[in-house]
Amino acid sequence: MDSLAPDLRQMQRTPLHDAHVDAMREIGREELYAAGDMVATPGERMKRFIYVIEGEIELVDPVTLERTVPSTLGPTQFVGEIAFLNGGAYSMPMRACQPTRALVIEREPMLELMSRIPEMSDIIITVFAARRRRQFEDGNSSLTLVGADVDRNLRRVASFASRNRIPHRSFDLSSAEAAETAKVCGVAPGQPLVVFGKNSVIEDPSPESIAKTLGLELCLGGDGTFDVLIVGGGPAGVAAGVYAGAEGLRALVVEETAIGGQAGTSSRIENYMGFPTGISGGDLVWRGEVQAMKFGTRFAMPRRVVSLSKRDDGYFCAELDDGLEVCAKAVVVSTGVQYRQLPLERLNEFEGAGIYYAATETEARYCRGSNVVVVGGGNSAGQAAMHLCRSAAHVHVLVRGKSLALSMSDYLLSRLEAEPSITIHYQTEISQLHGDANGLHAVTMRDKAADTESQIESCGVFIMVGAAPNTGWLSGLVDLDEKGFVLTGPDVGETSGYATSHPGIFAVGDVRSGSVKRVASAVGEGSVVISKVWEHVDAIK
């Protein structure tokens, strides 16, 4: 994973300047912790910024309460990680290991102070981001998944956690760690479960319940209104969030699955300017999310907008999937596209248990040492194949047409053709899926040119074909083309290339009719559109 800096340990010890500490003293208070006092507990909201003046604070294991890492937080250091920016929850317990005196500032005044002193903000956010990255990579967390290797519901949770950079531990159901976890929780061994903290089992685990546990759910407070509502958290939506916050707009980004969208599932993007050795899509967009939160933009996920309406006062109101309503002066549509399903019998039966629509580390783990099939001819399919060939026995890429020259970047196609563990099957499709209650076991492939069929053992099929726009929630407020993409600019008589047929609603990224389906162009559109959003918002103040 591409690093934010060469030495995370050094970043975590970057001190604030004396002037920064003096500014914090003006709005904070001192508190004392006795040796053994808990400073933070898993699930507790990060409502305070804690700066250590004297003493020492340690990170401890949520089960054994033993120190988890050799390093601790001492004088001139501060508690927390990137979840502080959006009021998330602690995922690991922290304890004073000797009498400790700390400067404590409430979250809202601290965020306001950070906005006034950019140099201080840069130091804090750099340290916070480095800690989250280290915690995610090392698996230091109170969130433990047991049995994602056999349970499709837990696979959804694991995918959600991984794609949103949520630290967690994952144990196979047959492992010794799984047995010990079950013992600590007082449950029968051999059953999938999700645990938070020492022994708190989460009933009916889902991405939604995990988000609530970690404080990621949307808590509006006040009147629940924003300057701009950005629907979709892919590259275009996150870029819009960055620039909206930087321009002083009160912005909310709503994402149904994971920040990053389809781009977030790309294991390696090599043609994005500034990253000559490549960067994962998830890491690229995560950087943008941190940037947006720095400027005050809020994120809500996994949340889905089901309908959109307009009030008499000019505000747009979006109804979310749980009935909650959020309103804004302007709306940016950045919901992108989703891969189409294949017309195969038993497809739904194997979704999450052999049929996948993303190829991240989580999905690759379930296919280690097996044959896998990638269906599709675009860059996403090519990147998935290159990623999966590192752990799979062999990767079969199924392409509907006779060539990939027009649908895949040349550098990527050359790599696929040169990789001995990848075979490209042209004019080939899947005709049958085979498996049982435990998941997919094999697939039948049909060579349309030769009119022959062959069967291969496979525990994973990755479907990356077609592109269906996510526009049903727009409730007929804007004009769409014949395929359901949003019409903008000259197509609806507007001078702005991102304005829709309805004033105040803008569209950017893959969901826009005629857009270039590339990450860089999506980021550019999300960045540029905010100037027009600002003009609309300013006009209705």
Side-chain angles (χ1 to χ4, degrees):
M1 187 179 296
D2 186 76
S3 179
L4 289 177
D7 190 340
L8 297 183
R9 291 182 184 274
Q10 181 61 40
M11 291 176 65
Q12 294 181 62
R13 293 189 175 277
T14 303
L16 294 172
H17 302 318
D18 291 344
H20 302 157
V21 179
D22 290 341
M24 290 192 299
R25 287 186 183 278
E26 294 181 3
I27 59 174
R29 63 185 184 278
E30 288 192 6
E31 288 190 5
L32 300 176
Y33 297 95
D37 283 354
M38 297 304 298
V39 178
T41 57
E44 175 189 356
R45 291 275 189 167
M46 293 187 190
K47 295 181 178 179
R48 306 181 304 166
F49 184 85
I50 302 173
Y51 176 85
V52 180
I53 301 173
E54 296 176 351
E56 189 176 23
I57 295 174
E58 61 185 353
L59 190 72
V60 297
D61 185 273
V63 177
T64 65
L65 296 184
E66 297 293 328
R67 182 182 296 184
T68 61
V69 291
S71 59
T72 59
L73 299 179
T76 74
Q77 293 182 282
F78 43 89
V79 173
E81 48 96 12
I82 205 67
F84 175 81
L85 297 183
N86 62 357
Y90 289 101
S91 61
M92 288 288 282
M94 304 193 75
R95 177 177 62 199
C97 50
Q98 60 176 269
T100 298
R101 182 164 61 97
L103 180 60
V104 177
I105 306 99
E106 297 301 316
R107 175 176 167 273
E108 290 299 332
M110 186 63 193
L111 291 177
E112 184 180 346
L113 182 64
M114 289 168 62
S115 68
R116 297 203 312 266
I117 310 178
E119 185 181 18
M120 178 178 72
S121 177
D122 289 345
I123 293 173
I124 293 172
I125 289 175
T126 300
V127 172
F128 277 174
R131 287 177 181 165
R132 166 62 74 87
R133 181 178 297 278
R134 186 177 186 85
Q135 191 179 352
F136 178 75
E137 293 177 347
D138 293 348
N140 288 327
S141 176
S142 294
L143 180 63
T144 302
L145 312 183
V146 176
D149 56 317
V150 299
D151 187 274
R152 72 178 65 194
N153 289 329
L154 260 63
R155 289 188 183 186
R156 289 181 61 237
V157 172
S159 178
F160 171 77
S162 295
R163 291 182 62 185
N164 285 289
R165 296 298 191 268
I166 296 173
H168 63 285
R169 300 183 293 184
S170 185
F171 302 135
D172 288 348
L173 194 59
S174 60
S175 66
E177 293 88 349
E180 179 61 27
T181 301
K183 181 180 178 181
V184 169
C185 295
V187 300
Q191 59 178 321
L193 70 158
V194 176
V195 183
F196 187 70
K198 182 176 182 179
N199 55 11
S200 177
V201 177
I202 298 178
E203 300 294 336
D204 299 321
S206 65
E208 292 77 12
S209 63
I210 299 304
K212 184 175 182 180
T213 299
L214 294 173
L216 301 177
E217 80 278 20
L218 181 61
C219 296
L220 291 177
D223 59 4
T225 60
F226 296 83
D227 290 322
V228 57
L229 171 66
I230 301 166
V231 186
V238 172
V242 170
Y243 278 79
E247 293 298 322
L249 296 175
R250 187 165 183 256
L252 171 68
V253 179
V254 177
E255 167 55 41
E256 180 178 357
T257 305
I259 302 302
Q262 279 192 16
T265 69
S266 296
S267 59
R268 191 179 183 188
I269 299 174
E270 294 187 73
N271 56 358
Y272 194 89
M273 189 184 72
F275 296 93
T277 59
I279 184 173
S280 73
D283 202 34
L284 177 66
V285 182
W286 185 71
R287 290 166 177 256
E289 181 184 359
V290 172
Q291 253 183 312
M293 288 192 293
K294 167 187 173 180
F295 291 123
T297 294
R298 298 175 61 183
F299 288 80
M301 49 84 184
R303 306 301 287 272
R304 179 168 56 89
V305 175
V306 297
S307 65
L308 186 69
S309 60
K310 190 174 184 180
R311 298 191 320 211
D312 292 339
D313 61 1
Y315 276 75
F316 296 97
C317 291
E319 181 184 354
L320 304 186
D321 47 2
D322 63 350
L324 185 67
E325 187 177 75
V326 293
C327 301
K329 299 174 182 177
V331 175
V332 173
V333 182
S334 54
T335 42
V337 298
Q338 59 189 8
Y339 294 123
R340 297 184 187 276
Q341 290 184 321
L342 294 178
L344 290 171
E345 291 185 13
R346 307 183 70 185
L347 182 74
N348 293 337
E349 178 183 344
F350 296 124
E351 284 185 335
I355 298 294
Y356 306 105
Y357 300 92
T360 67
E361 291 291 343
T362 301
E363 290 80 17
R365 172 188 171 195
Y366 308 135
C367 302
R368 186 173 292 115
S370 172
N371 294 320
V372 299
V373 177
V374 176
V375 183
N379 277 5
S380 294
Q383 289 161 354
M386 291 302 303
H387 176 59
L388 291 166
C389 76
R390 303 171 192 168
S391 55
H394 199 86
V395 179
H396 297 269
V397 180
L398 275 56
V399 182
R400 181 176 56 183
K402 299 179 180 180
S403 170
L404 288 172
L406 297 179
S407 60
M408 186 178 293
S409 295
D410 182 68
Y411 79 90
L412 191 53
L413 176 56
S414 298
R415 291 191 177 184
L416 260 63
E417 292 176 333
E419 174 56 54
S421 61
I422 295 176
T423 300
I424 304 175
H425 304 265
Y426 292 103
Q427 293 183 275
T428 303
E429 62 186 10
I430 293 178
S431 58
Q432 282 185 288
L433 303 172
H434 309 277
D436 54 28
N438 294 320
L440 184 73
H441 294 163
V443 301
T444 297
M445 304 186 304
R446 178 175 178 269
D447 185 325
K448 294 182 293 182
D451 195 22
T452 59
E453 288 190 339
S454 59
Q455 182 173 306
I456 61 169
E457 293 184 358
S458 177
C459 68
V461 172
F462 296 80
I463 300 175
M464 298 176 175
V465 296
N470 298 317
T471 52
W473 59 276
L474 285 166
S475 308
L477 288 179
V478 302
D479 293 342
L480 309 176
D481 67 13
E482 66 280 1
K483 295 182 179 179
F485 291 89
V486 181
L487 292 170
T488 58
D491 290 336
V492 290
E494 293 288 338
T495 56
S496 166
Y498 312 114
T500 70
S501 59
H502 196 119
I505 302 179
F506 304 84
V508 292
D510 289 1
V511 75
R512 189 175 65 82
S513 180
S515 66
V516 178
K517 306 299 188 283
R518 289 290 184 268
V519 173
S521 63
V523 170
E525 292 185 11
S527 306
V528 172
V529 73
I530 294 303
S531 63
K532 294 300 179 181
V533 170
W534 194 93
E535 290 177 7
H536 178 82
V537 169
D538 187 59
I540 63 174
K541 284 183 179 179

